Amino acid sequence: MLTCVVVGFTAYVVVRNLIHIYKSSRRLSALRSEAEEYRRQIDADSTLIEQLRYDDYLEAYARERFQMQRRDEKVYIME
């Protein structure tokens, strides 16, 4: 009788640990993919920051992104 209780308890602990390992591995996988997405975003932002150091690109970026214009020009937005 005691042997059955010990075996049952051991089986319960093992199954519980396996479930925990499975959940942890899924969470780890999600975190790794999230970290990779952040790395890609950092690379894109670093490239943009490097490009914005030049006045020509900065002006073009401001015109496109914020629809800015010079005082003596007219801008037509076509969507």
Side-chain angles (χ1 to χ4, degrees), residues 32-49:
R32 283 184 176 155
S33 64
E34 186 177 341
E36 183 60 34
E37 181 61 33
Y38 285 137
R39 281 190 199 100
R40 277 186 247 136
Q41 186 63 40
I42 288 170
D43 289 342
D45 290 346
S46 297
T47 302
L48 179 62
I49 288 171

Side-chain angles (χ1 to χ4, degrees), residues 4 12-13 16 21 30 32 41 47 50-52 57 65-66 69 77:
C4 290
Y12 168 76
V13 170
R16 193 169 138 222
I21 289 170
R32 283 184 176 155
Q41 186 63 40
T47 302
E50 185 63 34
Q51 290 173 344
L52 289 176
Y57 190 82
R65 178 79 183 221
F66 303 112
Q69 63 187 10
I77 300 173

Side-chain angles (χ1 to χ4, degrees), residues 11-27:
Y12 168 76
V13 170
V14 168
V15 169
R16 193 169 138 222
N17 285 340
L18 288 174
I19 291 171
H20 180 71
I21 289 170
Y22 175 73
K23 287 180 180 179
S24 295
S25 68
R26 285 185 55 194
R27 175 88 172 122

